[in-house]
Amino acid sequence: MNSQPKRNPLSMLGTGVLALIFASCAGGDTDPVIALVGGTVIDGTGAPPREGETVLIRGGRILEVGPDVRVPPRAEVIDVAGMTVLPGLIDMHGHMYAMGSNQFDAYPALFLAGGVTTVFSPGDFDPEGMIALRDQIAAGEVMGPRILTAGPYFDADPSVVSWIEGVGSAEAVRAKFDRWKDRIDAVKVYTSLTEEMLAELVAGADAAGLRVTGHLGGATATARAIELGIDGLEHGIFAIAEIVDTSPNEPIADQYCTVAGLDLNSSGVEAAIDAIVDGGVWVTPTIVTIQSIHPEFEPPSSDWREYLTEGLRRALSEIPPYLDGDGAACLERALEKQLDFVRRVHERGGLVVTGTDPVAPAITPGYGLHAELANLVRAGFTPLEAITAATRDAAGALGLDGEFGTLEAGKEADLVIVEGDPTTDITRMGDTVWVFTDGVRHDPSALRESARGKIGLPGENSP
């Protein structure tokens, strides 16, 4: 991981918003107090759940958490007995685009409805639009989770993705970075960026205090990228060139068959895990988005089509499956390898975080993160470890664990309240009752209702 201190993305907010935050921090006596009383608290630190506690919120911050908290006389008291109070969830691969179009009309509300209070988007289809959305949410003009964006993708020219603006040299990388560095929260490297280009980009990001994450390919080896100072890796073994020799020109089924045949006991895999763990690099495996390619994928939300426009429903019904039977069988085996790889990284002390990459409409934001939590449990995490990955560990990867990610006095009042006990049944994370951002309460049902029929094709929704 880069040795230089990283810039706090919250420092990019306007001075007026910062003043409000600091005022909230002070928690003046006139600020209203909300008391969540009688619930079980999972504080996000990895500590076991604690029953019968009270969480006090004032001025957008957590004022106090504990079993013997005195509730002020004029506080708004919310009885959460039988429920669990947790830190707001963090989606570390939370794009706001799908089907070649922005989904700004639906995705922010859906993320929030699922208890996702912070979204990190590693590269954007419309960087300008995403920055505007981030700032509108921060200013309270649009309802949605806190957004951190990496802005434009950095890739060599030509990129395998037609709409990514590639660069032709290390000098061009630096020039592009210099145009964006003061407006973005992190940097995203894509598959064709060469080692020379990556070195230049990481050096610039390091000087600017920005983290760098990558969907790497054959042009830059993962171990070398870690040596150069990359902070995060997206998609797990599906994007580690040293151990999976895939080409973007290779048929997708063949790529999955390559992953399916991987020997996880090989020296190459061991070396990759060593580099990841020793380098303090986070891994966002995005298991759910890879699952979504399978012809028999079961979407996390049974009513996912209700969030689509009629035009998109028709378009999806006309798209044939990506994989035939043999390809689907390879994908199933490849996914088992991914789960095993994630388990090995985790057991060795590596940093695994949760992300969904919801560019397929069937991965409904919010619901998709609940599915990814269940995937981590399938990989061998305890439910409590999976929750910690989506809260404290993700906040730490972003360098913002001093602001949110755990339920502690002084932290941002970003919380989610669910029915039951998700440490005994991780699927209870989908039973969202209330969500709080900066101390403001949101009704998940109303949020989801506001998003119905709004995930669409280009020209059907937000520009």
Side-chain angles (χ1 to χ4, degrees), residues 147-382:
I147 291 176
L148 305 172
T149 174
Y153 291 79
F154 284 81
D155 199 9
D157 186 26
S159 174
V160 296
V161 177
S162 62
W163 48 263
I164 292 179
E165 177 194 17
V167 292
S169 66
E171 292 76 16
V173 165
R174 178 54 75 100
K176 180 176 179 177
F177 174 74
D178 286 344
R179 292 197 304 271
W180 288 93
K181 65 181 180 181
D182 296 324
R183 305 177 63 207
I184 57 179
D185 306 299
V187 179
K188 172 65 174 290
V189 175
Y190 209 58
T191 58
S192 299
L193 208 69
T194 66
E195 182 178 314
E196 181 186 11
M197 293 174 178
L198 178 61
E200 184 71 20
L201 183 58
V202 170
D206 190 50
L210 295 175
R211 280 164 165 73
V212 181
T213 191
H215 177 166
L216 299 179
T220 302
T222 302
R224 181 62 179 139
I226 293 172
E227 289 176 5
L228 290 171
I230 200 167
D231 299 291
L233 297 171
E234 307 300 316
H235 311 302
I237 59 172
F238 289 87
I240 298 180
E242 296 99 310
I243 59 177
V244 180
D245 184 16
T246 60
S247 164
N249 298 318
E250 188 179 18
I252 192 167
D254 292 350
Q255 295 184 40
Y256 295 142
C257 291
T258 299
V259 177
L262 182 65
D263 178 7
L264 293 182
N265 294 313
S266 68
S267 59
V269 173
E270 285 295 314
I273 294 176
D274 282 343
I276 289 167
V277 175
D278 294 344
V281 172
W282 82 72
V283 175
T284 313
T286 63
I287 302 164
V288 68
T289 198
I290 302 165
Q291 290 170 324
S292 73
I293 299 169
H294 196 283
E296 297 179 5
F297 174 65
E298 294 186 10
S301 170
S302 59
D303 64 348
W304 68 277
R305 289 183 179 84
E306 295 299 315
Y307 299 108
L308 312 183
T309 62
E310 185 60 37
L312 181 52
R313 290 183 210 175
R314 287 195 304 269
L316 291 177
S317 70
E318 297 169 1
I319 298 176
Y322 287 109
L323 302 173
D324 60 16
D326 291 340
C330 278
L331 177 56
E332 290 170 14
R333 296 196 302 274
L335 283 163
E336 290 301 319
K337 299 284 184 170
Q338 175 82 314
L339 291 170
D340 196 1
F341 176 78
V342 168
R343 176 185 62 80
R344 292 173 186 231
V345 172
H346 175 60
E347 288 181 348
R348 293 270 291 277
L351 181 57
V352 178
V353 295
T354 50
T356 58
D357 194 7
V359 296
I363 309 172
T364 310
Y367 289 106
L369 197 69
H370 306 155
E372 193 68 358
L373 287 165
N375 282 328
L376 292 190
V377 172
R378 287 181 58 210
F381 288 54
T382 67

